[in-house]
Amino acid sequence: MFDGRWRSAVDRTTGPVGEALHRRGITADVLTATGLVSATITALLVATGRLHLAIVFLIITGMHDLFDGPVAKAAGTASVRGAFFDSVTDRVADAVLMCGVAWYLVDHKEGHLVLLPMAILAVTALVSYERAKAESLGLAAKGGLMERAERMFLLGVGFLSAAILVPVLWVLFALITLTAVARFVKVWNAASGRDEVIRRRIEAWREGRVDSRWRAWRESRERGVPRRELTRNRTSAAPVGRWRARRQEALSSRSGRTLRERRRAARAEAHGQGRRGTSLGSARRNRQSPGTSAPPSPSS
């Protein structure tokens, strides 16, 4: 919810603070690392029962997580490596905090409620995994009721009193579970739509690349188109695809009609040459025949 609705407004507020911290030589990696240290101190304070003091260090942990991004943007060092380091540190901090809460419940003999922080940690990991997997597939999975900022705030409310800590943990577990379900449904619907788009593109590609005569004949039988009409349409249809167009152009240049015309012209030429050769041979035989009388010589 925080990232989806109020992120832009918060970025406008934290931007100047990030620039001020950068001018003082504080880097984003330092803030991320010290945020993990403060989260560890918070877990130790919760485990020892000092819940009110743990609220202070929990706020410090949230501040580190809030300002490491603006500092990286101000320094121009925002990178994939920094985002990876920040995400891994956040997951470790969540695990450390829930371990501190579980230790507190063990000390106060809460019985099977010790499993409640572990359940919260498992569902939290599921929410983070859904977002990471969706983004790796090119889908968006941000938003939801309980992102990390909301989880930290609600956990701080539980640290106000030992009497409300367990009910707050139950509420936290229920809301995080709803967030996981909502993200699953969101990614499922988005993935279904993406699969449909990809399927349509593949079908269009196949229809443009493969011109099956069997498919055309079968479809014509279903529509009742005569076979002669189908042949005429197929021969007069425009070629589909670049390769198909080149092949059709090559075939048209070597079509049967062109070949027949060339053969007809060659036969006509050969026939004409044969007739001329026959007439010349007959003339020669007539001149050289012994039965013919020589023309009379002129008188002297």
Side-chain angles (χ1 to χ4, degrees):
M1 186 182 297
F2 176 81
D3 286 339
R5 297 184 180 181
W6 302 317
R7 171 58 67 181
S8 58
V10 173
D11 287 342
R12 289 194 298 267
T13 305
T14 58
V17 179
E19 294 177 357
L21 293 175
H22 169 62
R23 287 194 297 266
R24 286 171 174 78
I26 300 175
T27 63
D29 290 341
V30 170
L31 287 176
T32 302
T34 53
L36 180 58
V37 173
S38 61
T40 304
I41 296 174
T42 304
L44 292 174
L45 293 173
V46 173
T48 55
R50 288 175 280 189
L51 299 180
H52 291 171
L53 187 58
I55 295 175
V56 178
F57 282 90
L58 185 64
I59 294 173
I60 295 174
T61 303
M63 289 298 176
H64 283 78
D65 187 43
L66 182 63
F67 291 116
D68 57 357
V71 169
K73 291 180 181 179
T77 58
S79 61
V80 177
R81 180 195 60 80
F84 174 76
F85 180 51
D86 182 58
S87 297
V88 173
T89 304
D90 290 344
R91 303 292 83 77
V92 176
D94 291 339
V96 168
L97 288 173
M98 288 299 106
C99 287
V101 174
W103 194 292
Y104 173 82
L105 295 177
V106 168
D107 281 347
H108 288 75
K109 297 180 175 59
E110 295 291 344
H112 293 90
L113 287 177
V114 177
L115 298 177
L116 182 57
M118 298 298 102
I120 293 174
L121 183 61
V123 182
T124 301
L126 178 60
V127 172
S128 301
Y129 175 78
E130 287 175 346
R131 177 175 175 178
K133 186 62 178 179
E135 290 179 351
S136 68
L137 297 175
L139 303 173
K142 293 183 179 180
L145 292 174
M146 298 299 292
E147 295 184 295
R148 192 165 191 272
E150 290 84 353
R151 294 196 300 267
M152 298 284 283
F153 175 79
L154 193 56
L155 186 61
V157 172
F159 291 162
L160 291 175
S161 174
I164 65 173
L165 178 59
V166 174
V168 168
L169 290 177
W170 278 112
V171 173
L172 186 62
F173 174 72
L175 294 179
I176 296 175
T177 303
L178 289 177
T179 302
V181 173
R183 284 193 176 183
F184 181 84
V185 173
K186 180 179 180 180
V187 175
W188 181 277
N189 294 333
S192 299
R194 178 68 61 84
D195 291 342
E196 184 65 25
V197 171
I198 294 174
R199 190 180 299 108
R200 290 177 181 177
R201 290 179 179 177
I202 292 175
E203 291 178 355
W205 177 78
R206 287 177 177 175
E207 290 293 333
R209 186 174 182 271
V210 180
D211 186 14
S212 175
R213 294 185 177 181
W214 165 253
R215 186 190 302 113
W217 178 80
R218 185 180 59 189
E219 293 177 354
S220 67
R221 289 292 299 272
E222 294 176 356
R223 296 193 303 267
V225 180
R227 187 172 181 178
R228 295 180 180 178
E229 185 69 21
L230 176 63
T231 307
R232 188 182 304 112
N233 292 336
R234 185 172 63 247
T235 55
S236 62
V240 181
R242 185 178 299 177
W243 178 84
R244 186 77 175 171
R246 292 179 180 176
R247 181 173 178 270
Q248 189 70 18
E249 182 180 358
L251 290 177
S252 63
S253 64
R254 304 193 305 267
S255 62
R257 182 180 302 174
T258 303
L259 291 176
R260 285 194 298 270
E261 291 178 356
R262 291 179 181 176
R263 290 173 182 173
R264 191 180 299 111
R267 285 198 207 97
E269 185 178 358
H271 185 67
Q273 292 177 357
R275 292 182 62 182
R276 285 196 298 272
T278 303
S279 60
L280 289 174
S282 299
R284 290 175 182 175
R285 285 194 298 271
N286 293 332
R287 291 194 193 101
Q288 298 176 1
S289 176
T292 56
S293 59
S297 59
S299 58
S300 56

